[in-house]
Amino acid sequence: MVVLLGLVVSVVGALPAEKAVMTQPPLVPPAITRTTPAKVTVELEVVEKVMQLADGVDYVFWTFGGTVPGSFIRVREGDTVELWLENSPHNKLPHNIDLHAVTGPGGGAASTFTAPGHKTRFTFKALNPGLYIYHCATAPVGMHVANGMYGLIYVQPKVPLPKVDHEYYVVQGDFYTDADFGVRGLQPFSMKRAIDERPSYVVFNGSALSLVGDRALKAKVGEKVRLFVGNGGPNLVSSFHVIGEIFDRVYLEGGQKTQEHVQTTLIPAGGSAIVEFKLETDGTFILVDHSLFRAFNKGALGMLKAEGAGNKEVYSGREMEDVYLGDESVASSVKATPVAPTAPVAADGKALYAANCAMCHQPEGQGLPGVFPPLAKSDYLAGITSSRRAEIVEFILRGKAGKLTVNGVEYNGVMTPVAGLDDVKLAAVINFVATSWGNKSAPYSTAEVKRYREALPPASAPEH
Amino acid sequence: MLSVLAAAVLAASPDGGGAVTLPAGRFAPLFGLDEGQKDFAVAAFRLDVRPVSRAEFAAFLEASPAWRPDSVSRQLAEERYLASSKDAHSPRAPVVDVSYFAAKAYCAWRGQRLPTTLEWEYAAAADEVTRDASGDPAFVQRILDWYSRPSRPGELDLEGSPRNVYGVEALHGLVWEWTSDFNAVFVTADNRQDGEQPAGTMCGAGATGSARREDYAAFMRYALRSSLSARSTLPTLGFRCAGAAR
Ligand SMILES: [Cu+2]
């Protein structure tokens, strides 16, 4: 028995030792090329710090390694992992770590329960391959997780997944503040909202700003992308979807089984999925939780920009557009003619705005910081000179992508073309925007809008 | 009416800034109740108005060379022992980076003892106007906010700490504090794992939404205490002494 034990120890001792390569989101450490087990040391420092939850909104996050999600850990099936947890002396609270990749009581939680200014260590063998959440499990667990204490550990299978061009790291989380989405300043955690499961923020990678604009994920047309996706929770289940893509393959729940041709994959709180797709055409592809109010009103929105030549065979862009009158043809053509240029169309315009624009620019035109520019008191809108009045018609009918600055903030997003607006409706919605929330642009007549529409080049802008 | 109570308590405690007598009462702590038990009786006791200051602790070191950083055994205090006494806080600031052993020795030197967890929690449930403020969301939020923030240099200064209804200062918002039985309840991870926790304590009879939030603040204190060993020293951990009521 004693001899046996000695043997085991010496075998472990004989494993080559290495330090794990760890990365901050959205990056993933390179694939492990070793073909035999090693003893891998992982060092995680718990850092309590203030970061942006959304534009102008600060929050005290508790993190593994200074980011939300925490550093990505990659080991190989069969490796022996020595994990150090360090709790900075400046932190107020004890923390620990429960890795779902661990076989053993508490997943390491009790062994790593660490007071501020201390460090602990435990060792486990990575028996099962797959993508696993790790999280803090210190009481009150829900609060530690709600403050950002989670990340992913990937136990790479002995036979690794096929090579791809890009691997990225994305984790969804729900956040709870007393104030609703977008209220600026330092926002404290609200236990009440957390218990009620009423998040004010649902975001990818710890902030509504993590994956938009310049921070969008990048790839080229023709390349293969693999996303390691997790859901830290603490409460919500994610319906993970990429607008305009079909996942060629999903490793369901981060395990071994795959499903092909998936539109939306369900990621439980404290769970994961690996999704793969090839970029067949160019454009901006939007990552969302398809529980859509989370995406458009609470921040669960990211972007992947595919550069390169569009593929018209795969996606044509808009090929034609005409007015469709349906069985209202008589009524609406009668209605359309007598509308005078300055007719009071505000009520109609308001409804059209709510139906066509508010999901992005928000009900009061206030926009979503960093993602959708405001229309209310937009200096961009106010600065449209008489020679450029056609521009807004073009935005709405053709969409708009690329850099644009509104009230001093640069946006680099995509406005998708809005379909189904005839000249009357177009004029109504533009006039509503042009004259509401303190905006004071000169109204547009139907004839003017018609003129601009007819002068537009044929539709071809990349869309998603 | 309430300020009358506070005044009465203070008047009954002739040594002013030093310590006050807390009246006997009943209290339901987060942990430790037996099945079916509603609360504990707490006997009257004396408690320091403020955490022990650096100046006070320095006097103890003067009298007790064995507890000076260069002579104390590592079995009794970790490497950090009194490390932060070198930085530029006022002598009135609470002493931190003290082990349980050292805190206990200090109180004994003064002829006193550390408060029990029950006594400490009993005193700390009070705000400036009521004995049990656990139902007041503003009070609870103040505590949770402090727990949520990393510590900042300079925040150990006592000036402006409000006195609670018993006349005790800074039980929240300044430093964590040692209690004599800090490790009697072991709260690590999920409450599921904690055999000691009687089922239903968290959602005990009549717990409203706000009472439960107070439970969360207490939960964090119990978790912090559980993470300590008797030789631990933390830059956010101090203590105050207690004694028999006079
Ligand atoms: Cu934690």
Side-chain angles (χ1 to χ4, degrees), chain A residues 46 62 64 93-96 136-138 144-145 149:
Chain A
V46 178
W62 304 345
F64 288 106
L93 299 166
H95 298 283
N96 62 7
C136 182
T138 299
H144 283 251
V145 170
M149 298 202 72

Side-chain angles (χ1 to χ4, degrees), chain A residues 49-117:
Chain A
K49 70 190 260 205
V50 175
M51 294 187 286
Q52 286 214 325
L53 186 49
D55 188 40
V57 182
D58 289 332
Y59 190 81
V60 183
F61 292 89
W62 304 345
T63 73
F64 288 106
T67 55
V68 178
S71 308
F72 194 107
I73 306 171
R74 187 170 195 149
V75 299
R76 185 175 173 276
E77 178 184 0
D79 281 353
T80 296
V81 183
E82 179 183 280
L83 190 137
W84 290 83
L85 189 71
E86 299 152 353
N87 193 359
S88 153
H90 302 290
N91 293 344
K92 282 268 171 55
L93 299 166
H95 298 283
N96 62 7
I97 188 169
D98 166 354
L99 300 109
H100 292 179
V102 169
T103 308
S111 318
T112 55
F113 188 46
T114 311

Side-chain angles (χ1 to χ4, degrees), chain A residues 186-247:
Chain A
L186 183 68
Q187 298 299 334
F189 167 75
S190 164
M191 185 61 84
K192 171 105 178 64
R193 284 186 78 136
I195 291 171
D196 294 349
E197 303 191 17
R198 279 193 308 118
S200 31
Y201 295 82
V202 182
V203 296
F204 295 125
N205 290 0
S207 169
L209 307 171
S210 290
L211 298 174
V212 300
D214 288 345
R215 277 168 277 187
L217 305 177
K218 288 179 188 66
K220 296 204 174 63
V221 174
E223 288 186 329
K224 283 192 182 153
V225 173
R226 176 177 294 137
L227 301 181
F228 291 98
V229 191
N231 182 5
N235 289 323
L236 301 188
V237 167
S238 171
S239 301
F240 186 70
H241 177 81
V242 176
I243 299 175
E245 263 302 339
I246 297 152
F247 304 139

